[in-house]
Amino acid sequence: MATENIGVLKALDSAKVQLYHFTAIVITGMGFFTDAYDIFCISIVTKLLGRIYYTPADHSAPGTLPPAVNSAVTAATLCGTFVGQLFFGWLGDKLGRKRVYGVTLLLMVFCSIASGLSFGKEPAGVIVTLCFFRFWLGFGIGGDYPLSATIMSEYANKRTRGGFIAAVFAMQGIGILFGGIVGLTVAGAFNDQYKSVKFSADPIKSLPPQADYVWRIILMVGALPAALTYYWRMKMPETARYTALVARNAKQAAADMSMVLQVEVQPEMEVETTRDSYGLFSSEFAKRHGLHLVGTAVCWFLVDVGYYSQNLFQKNIFTSIDWLPAAKEMSAIEEVYKIARAQTLIALCGTVPGYWFTVAFIDHIGRFAIQLMGFFFMSVFMFGIAIPYDHWKLRQNRIGFVVLYAFTFFFANFGPNTTTFIVPAEIFPARLRSTCHGISAATGKIGAIAGSLGFSYASEDPNPKADDKGYPPGIGIRKTLLILAGVNLAGVLFTLLVPESRGKSLEELTGENEEEMGETITA
């Protein structure tokens, strides 16, 4: 039909894997590297923020962030990401992927630096400005989700498209790992230079003044990878599918792709291509793609409930099983070091391998099977942790706990955390692709906000005397993990709404090849 006659699209679908494909993975993937670093590095420094700005005047206990402040610091970036995903997803379909791609990166660079320069020494001033800049940091991060996924899907051939998009998203795991390494490096260097003692020995000396630089440096390092890739991101041409199908200029699409890929395309002088007559809120869209959008959005919501709560509050779980010492038995900088060490270990053993297993296998066993398997095994391992939770709290069983906990991250990433990013970039029409991906991703961020804030309260001990200062009694970590396991089981059911996209062209998946309505355009 109409789009089948556009030579550049056929050439892209059948193109051999080339150097520029890998260049595009690096350019788009470095955005996700930065995204993950910026989102998850806050979990390394929140304990330190509590000690610096909220230690009681009588030094009776190490300071902790009050519940409202902790929620604000944790959720500010996620709220910004939610807004950015919707806004830039829509803008990417209206103005083109390339035209707004650089804006997201500049926002990330500026706001990463500004977060570390949060004004003043008083708690209120520091926290307010930190949350302000991290909201706008999240706004830029949000734009990277729909734009990076859409760009990579529209550049790739149909045979290896899943692996290419997964490789972009896999940079998130490297970003999480890098965050842990930076935390280890900075905290280790400061701890060596400014010898401090544990809080129980000397509360004042346990918090050297230089500790205020530690969290600022860790947050500001996130600007570096984004800044380094800005030039190359601006050199990328607009995707051929946007140019041909939305901007309706097949000749320009062929010229752009000939510059970066070794393909020779001679488009016809007169090409019929689909100009979709239905919009996002039309009954036609609901009939063709409504259930697909529900499936991608709800699955992303469900996986983010568990994934973000586990990632952002690893330190709480590790403390509960005594893998991390009590705060009073560490200095402020030592606590940062040990939290970063735990995060690095989990990322290295579970998080990063999961992403790359998806890269290796997604174009062989498909998106549907990986997502279904991931949700199922996340539930299995979560139940395996939660049901015999008291068993895992015994000193001799800690290694077993860490292994099971790492497997929940492995199957999140060799599973729905990656596939929910890939599928929305494949199954919706070109003119709505970025928007629908943004809606799916934003729904996921609602889950991330609900999970991270809910976990911080629900995981508190039912015994008020055992709670962190200022928190009401919760249901405990064991019951919270049982709830998260149930959430993952719901993901198995909603995965049934998501179609398999392996081995098909984007136009086959979206139905653009079947449109009878066409308009003649001059190529």
Side-chain angles (χ1 to χ4, degrees):
M1 301 297 281
T3 59
E4 290 176 321
N5 296 324
I6 302 180
V8 67
L9 303 188
K10 294 170 67 177
L12 284 172
D13 280 334
S14 59
K16 294 180 180 179
V17 176
Q18 301 174 28
L19 176 62
Y20 190 76
H21 286 124
F22 295 103
T23 303
I25 288 171
V26 173
I27 294 171
T28 54
M30 285 307 291
F32 268 89
F33 177 99
T34 305
D35 298 349
Y37 180 93
D38 287 331
I39 288 175
F40 295 112
C41 70
I42 197 67
S43 65
I44 297 174
V45 302
T46 49
K47 294 277 191 181
L48 179 60
L49 289 170
R51 291 210 193 206
I52 294 173
Y53 298 109
Y54 292 93
T55 294
D58 61 1
H59 296 281
S60 57
T64 58
L65 293 177
V69 173
N70 187 55
S71 297
V73 170
T74 302
T77 308
L78 299 177
C79 291
T81 303
F82 167 78
V83 178
Q85 286 166 334
L86 292 175
F87 177 73
F88 284 109
W90 168 78
L91 204 61
D93 283 333
K94 293 298 179 184
L95 300 182
R97 295 38 162 148
K98 178 188 175 180
R99 290 180 66 180
V100 294
Y101 205 27
V103 177
T104 64
L105 210 60
L106 289 177
L107 271 171
M108 286 189 279
V109 171
F110 174 77
C111 292
S112 291
I113 295 171
S115 295
L117 298 175
S118 296
F119 310 131
K121 294 184 178 180
E122 294 300 316
V126 172
I127 297 300
V128 167
T129 53
L130 175 63
C131 290
F132 175 81
F133 287 120
R134 283 190 65 80
F135 174 87
W136 289 107
L137 171 65
F139 187 68
I141 289 172
D144 232 44
Y145 275 74
L147 294 174
S148 291
T150 301
I151 286 170
M152 198 65 245
S153 75
E154 293 181 344
Y155 269 126
N157 64 55
K158 64 182 180 180
R159 183 173 53 85
T160 59
R161 185 179 61 240
F164 285 168
I165 306 174
V168 171
F169 195 64
M171 294 300 288
Q172 185 181 75
I174 306 299
I176 294 171
L177 178 62
F178 184 68
I181 293 171
V182 169
L184 282 171
T185 304
V186 175
F190 273 78
N191 209 32
D192 289 342
Q193 184 67 29
Y194 307 102
K195 299 296 183 182
S196 53
V197 298
K198 60 185 181 180
F199 184 90
S200 60
D202 190 327
I204 295 177
K205 289 184 178 180
S206 73
L207 181 62
Q210 294 82 5
D212 192 53
Y213 294 113
V214 172
W215 70 269
R216 296 177 185 273
I217 292 171
I218 290 173
L219 295 187
M220 292 170 69
V221 167
L224 292 177
L228 291 174
T229 54
Y230 178 77
Y231 170 79
W232 299 107
R233 187 171 282 199
M234 291 298 91
K235 295 286 286 183
M236 294 180 75
E238 182 59 82
T239 70
R241 283 186 161 88
Y242 182 87
T243 304
L245 299 177
V246 183
R248 304 169 66 200
N249 190 338
K251 184 176 183 180
Q252 184 62 49
D256 287 344
M257 290 303 98
S258 294
M259 287 193 300
V260 295
L261 292 173
Q262 296 176 11
V263 290
E264 285 295 331
V265 183
Q266 298 295 331
E268 297 86 352
M269 291 305 296
E270 296 291 328
V271 180
E272 285 191 353
T273 188
T274 301
R275 181 71 168 178
D276 294 334
S277 58
Y278 59 87
L280 179 65
F281 300 105
S282 66
S283 59
E284 184 68 17
F285 178 86
K287 182 175 72 173
R288 290 171 176 262
H289 303 291
L291 286 178
H292 296 163
L293 186 57
V294 170
T296 58
V298 174
C299 286
W300 207 329
F301 172 89
L302 294 171
V303 70
D304 274 8
V305 167
Y307 189 74
Y308 278 81
S309 60
Q310 285 181 265
N311 255 306
L312 291 170
F313 293 97
Q314 287 182 44
K315 57 188 181 297
N316 302 54
I317 295 173
F318 294 147
T319 300
S320 73
I321 63 163
D322 295 328
W323 199 33
L324 292 177
K328 66 181 180 180
E329 298 304 320
M330 296 182 284
S331 70
I333 298 176
E334 182 186 6
E335 187 173 33
V336 174
Y337 181 88
K338 291 189 174 180
I339 291 170
R341 184 179 64 184
Q343 177 172 307
T344 302
L345 181 62
I346 291 295
L348 199 58
C349 297
T351 304
V352 173
Y355 286 109
W356 293 100
F357 265 68
T358 303
V359 174
F361 292 107
I362 192 166
D363 287 311
H364 298 285
I365 62 178
R367 289 73 160 148
F368 181 85
I370 289 177
Q371 183 162 311
L372 204 67
M373 174 191 67
F375 270 128
F376 174 76
F377 280 109
M378 285 172 70
S379 299
V380 168
F381 286 109
M382 203 77 77
F383 281 126
I385 292 171
I387 293 172
Y389 184 67
D390 290 335
H391 167 80
W392 300 119
K393 292 173 70 174
L394 300 176
R395 174 178 286 271
Q396 65 268 28
N397 299 325
R398 290 179 192 168
I399 298 300
F401 174 90
V402 173
V403 170
L404 289 184
Y405 194 62
F407 268 118
T408 66
F409 283 101
F410 176 83
F411 281 106
N413 296 311
F414 185 32
N417 190 45
T418 305
T419 55
T420 52
F421 175 79
I422 295 169
V423 175
E426 298 180 308
I427 63 174
F428 299 108
R431 65 192 295 268
L432 299 171
R433 184 170 292 136
S434 181
T435 301
C436 291
H437 194 285
I439 291 171
S440 300
T443 308
K445 282 303 164 286
I446 296 174
I449 294 166
S452 58
L453 297 186
F455 190 93
S456 66
Y457 285 91
S459 61
E460 290 295 320
D461 198 286
N463 179 6
K465 294 181 179 180
D467 288 338
D468 288 334
K469 184 179 178 181
Y471 282 86
I475 60 175
I477 288 180
R478 179 178 180 274
K479 291 182 179 178
T480 304
L481 291 175
L482 287 172
I483 292 172
L484 293 179
V487 168
N488 293 328
L489 281 180
V492 173
L493 297 177
F494 279 95
T495 296
L496 301 177
L497 298 178
V498 180
E500 178 56 70
S501 52
R502 176 169 63 103
K504 299 178 181 178
S505 74
L506 296 180
E507 289 68 45
E508 288 179 86
L509 289 165
T510 61
E512 288 166 294
N513 274 347
E514 301 170 5
E515 291 287 337
E516 296 295 337
M517 291 182 61
E519 293 183 14
T520 301
I521 63 170
T522 301

